[in-house]
Amino acid sequence: MRLVSAVLVFTLVVALGVGATAPTATAADSSDSLAQRTAGDCSFPVTRTDATGTAVTLSERPERIATLSPSAAQTLWEIGARDRVVGVSEFAGYLDGAASLPVVNTASGGIQSERLVALDPDLVIAPGTISNETVATLRDQGLTVYAMDSPATIEGVADATTRLGRLTGECAGAAETNAWMRANVAAVREAVDDDPRPTALYVFSDGWTVGADTFISDVMTAAGTRNAVAGVVSGYARVSPEVVRERDPAWIVYNSRDGIPDAAAYRGTKAVQENRTVEVNVNYLNQPAPRSIVRTVRTIATAIHPAAVDESSYVPRSAVESANATATATATPTPTDRATTGGGPGFGVGTALVGVLFALLVARGRRR
């Protein structure tokens, strides 16, 4: 039953083309209608208002793109724009081929302005961690900079993916990537829905954690846990030993770089004493991007709910590609078809649903 439900959710996600939740208009999108964004208009010139309130215009598809955060780079890799990336941040080196690109932003030295300008990018993507003042300085140097917000939810990551797809001319790749991400999140949520939700604490950098208003907390919720410090911590903050002892999380989630602090408060938790800990690759856990969401949700859920989540619930990119191809071929009838059947929205979506479901079942059959 869980497998069938996950398939049906994924079918709707791909066939409707906008994910399980339709895009929501935001202040930075106010110039666009919902119809424009869901219709897949990916032409240029395009103007978008960024996180600084600045209207950024691209007259042509950007052929040289610099990313100042690993999450933006990961997103461009996923949506199909990686071959146009000419500069990356220090921690994007794990992406295939990124290690050979110039590094334009480091943890120790910050943005390498001269190197960035020398790359002559058509578009620079700046994360929410970079100040408005720094963005303004880069613009003063003649660079076209689009500043992003920091996503606080999984759907915020989907919205950022849609934005980057539109700015780079990879709208179809962004839609496909979001369909893949949402399908896998939906499959895990469905699988763990009937299981108890233990408390979990994410700890990093020697005692820091996340509140309920972060994408990491949303990921933990999707994976079938309850944030142990929800209501106590806001955003990203250092958690005191007293709070760790008081909350006594059933599970501790940590990243592959930092580990769990070697402190009495953590050693005394049920999680550590009963070996209920989950390690997640630091490249994914801390980066709000599609691949990060899929891998982190599945890693946490598989560890905490092993009887509910296994390989059979994973939706591969190949299934999304196959389903999209089927939906595209069946959802838009020829003029003759319209004359014969009457056409209309119901025909397109209904036929697409059948095609997508068939493609998904075939894809799943190949894995067994």
Side-chain angles (χ1 to χ4, degrees):
M1 179 62 71
R2 284 174 173 164
L3 177 58
V4 172
S5 298
V7 169
L8 291 176
V9 170
F10 174 65
T11 300
L12 288 169
V13 166
V14 179
L16 298 179
V18 295
T21 303
T24 302
T26 64
D29 260 343
S30 57
S31 62
D32 306 312
S33 69
L34 179 62
Q36 285 175 318
R37 285 182 283 123
T38 57
D41 176 17
C42 224
S43 61
F44 290 85
V46 62
T47 299
R48 289 292 184 273
T49 302
D50 75 351
T52 70
T54 302
V56 178
T57 298
L58 295 168
S59 58
E60 298 177 331
R61 190 183 87 149
E63 297 301 324
R64 298 179 62 81
I65 307 168
T67 59
L68 303 182
S69 70
S71 58
Q74 185 197 123
T75 302
L76 295 188
W77 255 245
E78 292 297 329
I79 67 177
R82 59 170 287 186
D83 291 341
R84 290 182 279 142
V85 177
V86 296
V88 295
S89 59
E90 178 181 1
F91 297 112
Y94 71 96
L95 296 166
D96 186 26
S100 63
L101 295 174
V103 174
V104 293
N105 190 18
T106 66
S108 56
I111 297 173
Q112 312 297 303
S113 298
E114 291 185 5
R115 182 180 298 174
L116 185 57
V117 171
L119 289 173
D120 192 27
D122 302 316
L123 173 64
V124 177
I125 301 169
T129 53
I130 294 178
S131 68
N132 289 355
E133 291 74 18
T134 299
V135 170
T137 298
L138 294 176
R139 286 173 175 157
D140 289 342
Q141 294 175 293
L143 297 173
T144 299
V145 183
Y146 187 89
M148 305 284 290
D149 287 318
S150 297
T153 62
I154 292 172
E155 276 305 305
V157 172
D159 180 69
T161 302
T162 299
R163 270 174 206 285
L164 291 180
R166 184 64 187 90
L167 289 170
T168 60
E170 298 288 353
C171 298
E176 181 182 280
T177 297
N178 278 338
W180 171 67
M181 179 182 72
R182 285 172 168 141
N184 276 289
V185 171
V188 170
R189 281 178 169 151
E190 167 70 17
V192 304
D193 189 52
D194 294 331
D195 283 6
R197 288 180 168 268
T199 58
L201 173 72
Y202 171 49
V203 60
F204 67 100
S205 191
D206 196 27
W208 283 69
T209 190
V210 297
D213 52 345
T214 62
F215 88 93
I216 295 176
S217 185
D218 198 23
V219 162
M220 292 166 63
T221 299
T225 74
R226 291 179 292 119
N227 190 335
V229 294
V232 177
V233 172
S234 178
Y236 296 79
R238 187 179 293 277
V239 62
S240 69
E242 291 74 23
V243 170
V244 174
R245 292 190 187 96
E246 175 191 340
R247 295 291 163 142
D248 192 15
W251 286 83
I252 289 180
V253 179
Y254 65 97
N255 67 60
S256 56
R257 179 192 63 202
D258 297 331
I260 300 173
D262 184 18
Y266 292 92
R267 290 195 298 270
T269 61
K270 293 187 184 74
V272 171
Q273 291 182 350
E274 298 179 18
N275 197 30
R276 294 198 297 257
T277 62
V278 186
E279 178 182 300
V280 181
N281 188 318
V282 67
N283 291 323
Y284 300 128
L285 187 56
N286 290 344
Q287 295 181 19
R291 191 193 309 175
S292 298
I293 299 298
V294 172
R295 296 202 178 185
T296 303
V297 167
R298 289 191 57 80
T299 297
I300 296 174
T302 301
I304 297 177
H305 302 277
V309 181
D310 57 25
E311 184 60 29
S312 68
S313 65
Y314 175 67
V315 180
R317 284 295 292 259
S318 59
V320 177
E321 292 164 1
S322 175
N324 274 340
T326 302
T328 300
T330 58
T332 308
T334 63
T336 301
D337 291 332
R338 290 193 182 98
T340 303
T341 64
F347 173 80
V349 173
T351 307
L353 285 174
V354 174
V356 171
L357 182 55
F358 173 76
L360 241 187
L361 291 175
V362 170
R364 286 185 180 278
R366 290 195 188 111
R367 298 203 312 276
R368 290 179 177 176

